[in-house]
Amino acid sequence: MQIQEYTAAQIQAAVTAAANIADNWAQSSAQTRAELLRELGAVLVANREELVRLADEESSLGTPRLNGELDRTTFQLNGFADHIEAGNAFALTDDDAIAGAPPLGRPHLTRVRVPLGPVAMFSASNFPLAFSVLGGDTASALAAGCPVVIKAHPGHPKLSRRVFELAQTVLAKQGLSEGVIGFVEGASVDVGVALVRHPDIAAVAFTGSYQGGNALWAEANSRPRPIPFYGELGSINPVIALPAALSAQAEELAQALASSIEFGSGQICTSPGVVVLFAGADADRFENALRDALQTKKTHTMLTPGMKRNFEAGVARLTGTPGVQTVLRGESNSDDNAPPRPLLVRTSAENFIADHALREEVFGPACVIVRVKSTDEVVAVLNAVGGSLTVTLWGAENDSADVRRITRCATQIAGRVLFSGVPTGVAVTRSQQHGGPWPASTEPFTTSVGYAAMDRFLRPVALQSAPAWLAERAGRPC
């Protein structure tokens, strides 16, 4: 892969172009923004064959998966267009004046939201379309009225450049400034750091590793004027299988979980990395079925050689930890292009809670089985995880004190709690919450998926006794 390393001057030019257009784009109508978003989706569809081919060459994710991802990307763009046309771009609350002094009296107050300004958007490696150049972060920022400067991921540079080129043709066709969507790239950390440090960048959206996100978050907070950093850093996504679920459908659930672990060769932020089982015959049956199902799975080459090496290091770390028994481990292969083999290990709740290494994400098809003896141990395991994008709870259909306690704990540590199905697969809806307490994300009160993602780039402002000309704008920035 030929990766271009952008210079300081090129980064400066991209951000300056975004800053120069920021006020105009903030003042743009919902119709203008919606037309841009829809046409960006249409140009992806029109160039589907080329884009899927490039994506597959650089990611090895396969054409079925990538065609589905292109559809998701277009769905997001169209969905945000619908969302802002429904009035959500300029949503406001209005309190009429009441004569007298506070607290009974009050002036006329209107609470509006103003776009933050240029957003630095860091593309993800594992979704070269849906979380990349024209992915959800870009769509939500543009819908909010913020220009974006995209940091392409070095794992798919040719695809990123081509999508950006197509985006520029759409901007030109609609008579919009090329600064609405900017682009930089580079494999070194310097490009990303320079982008975050630039004084005209008003916010950062990041999807990626804990290490990279944590470092950039520190940069955003160390600026003379710190800025919001919306980082989605991945998680281990515990699955709690209560005895009621396993006694009824241990084999079916094991098959579903195996497919979720294997999906994308485990390179998914919601991949289940931990499954909690109450010790007993049903748990043994489930574990055996999960092992057998994983053994038959055919994974594909990982996204980058570095990710394959990190996965193998994670496998070695888990299997080499005292108190861990290996249930399934394929032969190690030093070839970076060789598909990873699924890993399944088992440990006790006591060991899992005591050893932080068992709670670190292994980016790839790996899962830790934690055997528990009581609800107390389930709660302790969840609290040890500390923060997760998801928790899945099977067998909670009947109300009880234990079920309520586990459910309550799950809602305290996760952004999304599932009571059926598996955590992989994140719907783009108004009610979605993709982001959990640290270390899953840096801003657990926000989401990076779904239409509420737009709210990250809008700052509330109260207009007190606004003049008629401003009130008539009905929330649209002046």
Side-chain angles (χ1 to χ4, degrees), residues 392-412:
T392 302
L393 181 54
W394 291 334
E397 288 75 19
N398 295 320
D399 188 9
S400 71
D402 284 343
V403 166
R404 287 194 182 198
R405 187 179 173 203
I406 294 171
T407 302
R408 182 168 58 250
C409 186
T411 62
Q412 289 169 341

Side-chain angles (χ1 to χ4, degrees), residues 21-29 33 90 115 144-147 476-478:
I21 197 61
D23 285 346
N24 285 341
W25 189 244
Q27 296 164 23
S28 63
S29 67
R33 298 179 196 176
F90 310 119
C146 297
R476 185 172 164 184
C478 62

Side-chain angles (χ1 to χ4, degrees), residues 171-194:
L171 291 174
K173 179 180 176 182
Q174 297 191 354
L176 298 172
S177 168
E178 63 181 17
V180 173
I181 302 175
F183 181 90
V184 301
E185 66 173 300
S188 73
V189 298
D190 296 340
V191 173
V193 169

Side-chain angles (χ1 to χ4, degrees), residues 3-15:
I3 302 168
Q4 299 177 18
E5 198 72 22
Y6 268 48
T7 66
Q10 289 174 306
I11 297 169
Q12 173 70 35
V15 178

Side-chain angles (χ1 to χ4, degrees), residues 23 55 89 92 133 165 176 183 188 231 234 242 262 288 293-294 326 328 340 369-370 373 409:
D23 285 346
L92 57 80
V133 175
E165 289 170 0
L176 298 172
F183 181 90
S188 73
L242 298 179
E262 174 267 341
N288 291 336
L294 281 173
T326 299
L328 173 67
I369 294 173
V370 179
K373 299 174 184 153
C409 186

Side-chain angles (χ1 to χ4, degrees), residues 44 54 63 97 116 127 163 184 227 256 311 343 353 373-374 389 398 403 405 422 427 460 463:
L44 294 179
L54 286 173
T63 55
L116 294 180
F127 285 90
V163 172
V184 301
I227 57 174
F311 173 74
L343 174 75
I353 294 164
K373 299 174 184 153
S374 66
L389 293 173
N398 295 320
V403 166
R405 187 179 173 203
V422 291
L463 305 177

Side-chain angles (χ1 to χ4, degrees), residues 439-458:
S441 66
T442 60
E443 295 287 347
F445 303 100
T446 68
T447 180
S448 64
V449 177
Y451 304 121
M454 189 177 76
D455 298 342
R456 296 174 296 171
F457 310 117
L458 293 165

